[in-house]
Amino acid sequence: MLRFIQQYVFIIFLILSYSFHSTEDNVIEFFEVTKVVDGDTFWIDDGTKKGQKIRLIGVNTPETRHPQKPVEYYGREASNYVNSRLKGKKVRLEYDVDRIDRYGRTLAYVFLEDGLFLNADLLKNGYAQVMTVPPNVKYSEMFLKLERKARGNKMGLWGE
């Protein structure tokens, strides 16, 4: 009987501690996009003086601003598309295992206020290729399906 009471008290304690947990952890925060660098990189206003550079997880768009490479096929279209999607907008960031890449950029899955999942949208419309870098693999299966479908439908950079 004593063991049952101890377990009961423990369960009640867990329930109460969860219910009194701060709701601030559940606040969804949106950040204003301040500058689009190219099809898979942009800056947000995170309240700091410099802002934060964001790199989309799981996708790679053709290069437009690489110092040693010329503008790649469909690079301008991808960059213009992302600019049209993000200009004057706010985004929500979702992270995976790694939050920062070797260049100091924040790695994120990006959602607009209207619910658009930007990373997936780029693949769906043929503006990007899948680029899976473990351990950031949360949406890799979905991304592969979207790329295959875009290829099959000759969307964007998969066009003729």
Side-chain angles (χ1 to χ4, degrees), residues 139-150:
Y139 295 107
S140 60
E141 287 182 31
M142 177 203 321
F143 288 176
L144 286 169
K145 287 177 185 174
L146 290 169
E147 182 182 293
R148 280 189 207 111
K149 190 171 182 179

Side-chain angles (χ1 to χ4, degrees), residues 6 11 14 20 24 34 39 51 68 78 83 85 87 98-99 123 141 146 160:
Q6 288 174 329
I11 290 169
L14 285 176
F20 287 115
E24 288 181 19
T34 57
Q68 285 91 30
N83 193 49
R85 288 293 197 182
K87 188 174 184 176
D98 290 337
R99 277 185 76 157
L123 293 163
E141 287 182 31
L146 290 169
E160 299 193 34

Side-chain angles (χ1 to χ4, degrees), residues 67-106:
Q68 285 91 30
K69 294 181 182 178
V71 173
E72 294 178 337
Y73 172 72
Y74 224 72
R76 289 200 200 290
E77 290 85 349
S79 186
N80 290 340
Y81 182 77
V82 170
N83 193 49
S84 73
R85 288 293 197 182
L86 296 182
K87 188 174 184 176
K89 301 282 176 59
K90 291 184 178 182
V91 296
R92 175 177 66 85
L93 306 178
E94 181 180 314
Y95 309 103
D96 210 330
V97 177
D98 290 337
R99 277 185 76 157
I100 305 292
D101 71 5
R102 64 182 178 177
Y103 303 107
R105 302 173 296 190
T106 299

Side-chain angles (χ1 to χ4, degrees), residues 3-157:
R3 183 168 166 82
F4 174 75
I5 292 171
Q6 288 174 329
Q7 288 176 339
Y8 181 75
V9 169
F10 180 72
I11 290 169
I12 297 297
F13 173 75
L14 285 176
I15 292 169
L16 289 174
S17 66
Y18 179 76
S19 66
F20 287 115
H21 191 269
S22 171
T23 57
E24 288 181 19
D25 292 343
N26 299 324
V27 172
I28 296 174
E29 188 171 11
F30 284 88
F31 301 94
E32 182 182 344
V33 175
T34 57
K35 178 183 176 185
V36 173
V37 176
D38 60 19
D40 51 35
T41 310
F42 61 94
W43 286 85
I44 59 166
D45 179 359
D46 65 349
T48 63
K49 186 175 181 181
K50 186 177 178 185
Q52 195 172 30
K53 194 173 191 178
I54 308 299
R55 173 62 167 85
L56 299 175
I57 298 175
V59 301
N60 189 47
T61 60
E63 295 294 340
T64 59
R65 302 186 65 157
H66 195 283
Q68 285 91 30
K69 294 181 182 178
V71 173
E72 294 178 337
Y73 172 72
Y74 224 72
R76 289 200 200 290
E77 290 85 349
S79 186
N80 290 340
Y81 182 77
V82 170
N83 193 49
S84 73
R85 288 293 197 182
L86 296 182
K87 188 174 184 176
K89 301 282 176 59
K90 291 184 178 182
V91 296
R92 175 177 66 85
L93 306 178
E94 181 180 314
Y95 309 103
D96 210 330
V97 177
D98 290 337
R99 277 185 76 157
I100 305 292
D101 71 5
R102 64 182 178 177
Y103 303 107
R105 302 173 296 190
T106 299
L107 300 171
Y109 301 107
V110 175
F111 298 84
L112 278 67
E113 289 180 295
D114 65 5
L116 179 80
F117 184 6
L118 183 62
N119 309 54
D121 184 63
L122 290 172
L123 293 163
K124 175 184 170 190
N125 291 297
Y127 289 105
Q129 297 177 359
V130 172
M131 186 181 79
T132 303
V133 180
N136 297 328
V137 298
K138 184 186 288 186
Y139 295 107
S140 60
E141 287 182 31
M142 177 203 321
F143 288 176
L144 286 169
K145 287 177 185 174
L146 290 169
E147 182 182 293
R148 280 189 207 111
K149 190 171 182 179
R151 279 180 182 233
N153 293 332
K154 299 189 184 318
M155 300 288 294
L157 61 91

